């Protein structure tokens, strides 16, 4: 189980109270590997007999997303998932089989973004990139999804 303290420190550092439900959501997130959905956290909460509902989980995820502590992923299936993140700008590569998530640095996107802005006249103030495929472990196991 990962340590929920960084998430809680980010909450407190941003001036938010670390309430019991927020602590519980942080602990649920820290216990996960790979990406997760709000439904995954709700199922984990039920299994652990925690008294937090879906609405509380969604509110906490919205706040943590706003703070940059977790990032929302748009999966190829159309579902939304989340992954804990460092605040530094980066992109993700997601295994479509096991859900493992890797962070990828800029990879030339900054220059590409500037070129798109130059060509279109837009003032681009943000972007995100999610790549999907099979991780090395799933590839070695012969999984195709």
């Amino acid at each position: 189980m990962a340590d929920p303290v960084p998430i809680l420190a980010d909450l407190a550092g941003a001036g938010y109270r670390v309430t019991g439900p927020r602590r519980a959501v942080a602990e649920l997130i820290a216990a996960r590997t790979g990406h997760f959905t709000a439904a995954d956290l709700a199922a984990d909460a039920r299994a652990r007999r925690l008294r937090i509902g879906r609405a509380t989980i969604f509110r906490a995820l919205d706040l943590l997303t706003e703070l940059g502590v977790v990032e929302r992923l748009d999966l190829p299936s159309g579902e939304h998932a989340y992954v804990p993140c460092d605040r530094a700008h980066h992109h993700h590569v997601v295994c479509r089989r096991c859900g493992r998530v890797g962070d990828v640095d800029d990879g030339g996107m900054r220059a590409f973004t500037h070129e798109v802005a130059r060509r279109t006249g837009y003032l681009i103030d943000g972007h995100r990139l999610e790549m999907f495929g099979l991780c090395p472990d799933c590839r070695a196991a012969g999984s195709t999804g």
Side-chain angles (χ1 to χ4, degrees), residues 18-143:
V18 178
T19 62
R22 288 177 180 159
R23 179 178 300 277
V25 171
E27 289 172 359
L28 292 171
I29 291 169
R32 307 268 328 158
T33 57
H35 64 72
F36 56 87
T37 64
D40 292 333
L41 295 184
D44 293 349
R46 279 191 306 278
R48 292 175 62 180
R49 297 182 188 268
L50 299 176
R51 301 186 82 133
I52 56 173
R54 288 178 56 88
T56 298
I57 291 169
F58 275 107
R59 281 193 303 273
L61 286 172
D62 285 346
L63 175 58
L64 295 174
T65 300
E66 181 181 315
L67 294 175
V69 176
V70 299
E71 199 166 307
R72 190 176 101 170
L73 303 175
D74 296 319
L75 301 177
S77 65
E79 294 179 292
H80 303 296
Y82 298 86
V83 62
C85 286
D86 292 330
R87 288 186 172 203
H89 183 76
H90 62 279
H91 306 285
H92 296 109
V93 59
V94 182
C95 181
R96 63 180 153 90
R97 173 78 173 132
C98 72
R100 180 174 162 184
V101 177
D103 292 346
V104 180
D105 66 7
D106 180 74
M109 285 299 296
R110 184 171 291 120
F112 177 73
T113 302
H114 288 296
E115 180 60 18
V116 169
R118 186 189 69 73
R119 287 182 185 184
T120 65
Y122 276 72
L123 174 61
I124 298 174
D125 59 8
H127 71 272
R128 63 183 199 188
L129 175 64
E130 297 155 2
M131 295 169 275
F132 301 92
L134 294 177
C135 71
D137 292 340
C138 289
R139 287 181 60 216
S143 300

